[in-house]
Structure formats: structure tokens, C-alpha cells
Amino acid sequence: MAAIQTFFATTIFRQELVAPAAGAITEAARAIAAADKAGRAWSKAHGYKGYTSYASLNDLVDRAPEFGALRRALDGHVATFANHVGFDLGRRRLKLDSLWINILKPGGVHTGHIHPHSVVSGTYYAEIPMGASAIRFEDPRLGLMMAAPPRRSDAPLDQRTFVSMTPEAGTLLLWESWLRHEVPLNEASRDRISISFNYRWG
Ligand SMILES: [Fe+2]
């Protein structure tokens, strides 16, 4: 029997968080969005359909206790992820670098991107109405594949070029920051609310 092994794995961590409650994060996110005129103006100017605090606020974990609680939960899960993928961090730890709100309206998208200068990135989903976008991850080797055939639609998940994950309210996803991902068209009739973040090394 042949010995077939798989190397160069891409790890995505998923955990359903019970606390803080998704409803409390949703309320805090909406309150912050309502008060953040600069963020709403930035979102509009940059064609973001909805609201993001990405460019306007960098103190959410101090601004609202719900986000402080989320940060404490994230710290633990990011440490678990780092251990799982075998990072040798030496004396330095992974630290939260940035955390921001995304309120994506119906019809909104977020095209493919990576998170440069960070180590672990992720998203916590606060409100996922029926029909809300999944998140789609792309094989980081895609640009090197040249003459490789496409994969069958029934190929094993770990052999596919694209993998979509469908979150629910309370879902946390973590991945390494170099992993390209996108949010396809939000086909829900209501807002899709998520909190994204980056952890850096030391
Ligand atoms: Fe992202």
C-alpha cells in the first residue's frame, strides 16, 4: 500500500464562543458605528457598503467593555492556535495589534486580500442573518500552480483551491495572516456584522 502524506498544511481554527454574547457585541458595534461620524465618512468615501471602524478607531477594547471581554477570549484562542501550528515564539508573545468593526449591508462585498505585517488574523461573527456571505479562503500556492488542472467539485476539502466557511452568530475563525480571503456578495436582506482583528509577534 502506498504511503501518502500531506505536507504544508493551511490551518483554520473555528470555535463557537458563548461569551461575550453575540447580541451584546452587536449592540456595542451598532452604538459605536452610530457615534463614529469619521468612520462612516471613510466607509462612504472608500466604497465600503456599510460601516467599518478600520480607519477611524483603534481603541475599541477600551471603548466598550464588550470588546474588552472579546479581546480576553481571543487572546486564549490565538495562543491555542499558535501552539497548534507550532510557532516558536521565543520570549515574545502574540499580541493584539488591531481590532475593528465591519457592518456589511446587503449587496456589500470585501474582495480578496491578506493582512500584511501580522501573524494571526481572524474574525468574530456577531450577527449573521439568513443568506449572509460566507468567507472564502484561497490556496496560497494558487499563483504558483501554472499548468495544474482545476480540482473536481468532489475533491477532498484539504485538496481544494478554494474553501468557504459559513459562520453563525458567535463563531470565531482564526488563520495565519498571509492566507488570502474574501467576503462574497452579502445576499442577506439585513446587515452582516463581524469583528476582525490582527495579532502581531511581540
Ligand atoms: Fe480580512
Side-chain angles (χ1 to χ4, degrees):
M1 182 157 166
I4 300 178
Q5 292 176 284
T6 301
F7 298 112
F8 312 119
T10 300
T11 300
I12 298 175
F13 172 105
R14 177 172 184 150
Q15 173 81 47
E16 312 305 321
L17 298 194
V18 176
I25 295 287
T26 296
E27 274 184 39
R30 285 210 179 275
I32 287 167
D36 179 18
K37 203 172 167 184
R40 292 201 310 278
W42 189 93
S43 303
K44 195 172 179 185
H46 290 79
Y48 187 90
K49 199 161 184 194
Y51 163 81
T52 176
S53 66
Y54 183 73
S56 53
L57 301 174
N58 62 4
D59 62 349
L60 290 187
V61 296
D62 300 319
R63 195 173 277 256
E66 295 82 359
F67 286 103
L70 181 62
R71 184 223 185 118
R72 289 191 289 281
L74 297 181
D75 282 347
H77 292 302
V78 168
T80 301
F81 177 93
N83 187 49
H84 180 88
V85 299
F87 284 151
D88 181 2
L89 298 173
R91 288 164 181 263
R92 292 184 289 154
R93 290 183 305 118
L94 296 184
K95 289 185 187 154
L96 183 69
D97 183 56
S98 49
L99 180 142
W100 64 96
I101 297 165
N102 312 289
I103 300 180
L104 192 66
K105 290 202 167 302
V109 295
H110 194 178
T111 53
H113 62 281
I114 61 171
H115 294 205
H117 312 301
S118 296
V119 175
V120 174
S121 295
T123 298
Y124 169 79
Y125 297 88
E127 187 145 282
I128 296 292
M130 183 103 73
S133 318
I135 180 168
R136 191 168 88 140
F137 297 98
E138 175 185 308
D139 187 335
R141 303 165 301 177
L142 184 61
L144 307 171
M145 289 182 184
M146 297 182 287
R151 307 286 163 147
R152 293 191 312 266
S153 60
D154 66 343
L157 270 177
D158 62 2
Q159 299 292 344
R160 291 186 196 177
T161 306
F162 296 97
V163 173
S164 289
M165 296 188 85
T166 305
E168 293 171 23
T171 300
L172 167 68
L173 297 178
L174 302 175
W175 58 86
E176 288 191 60
S177 302
W178 43 255
L179 183 61
R180 202 170 141 87
H181 55 281
E182 68 178 306
V183 181
L185 188 72
N186 182 19
E187 296 186 276
S189 55
R190 291 191 290 122
D191 296 347
R192 173 191 190 272
I193 301 181
S194 61
I195 313 300
S196 294
F197 50 85
N198 289 322
Y199 276 72
R200 64 184 161 82
W201 188 17

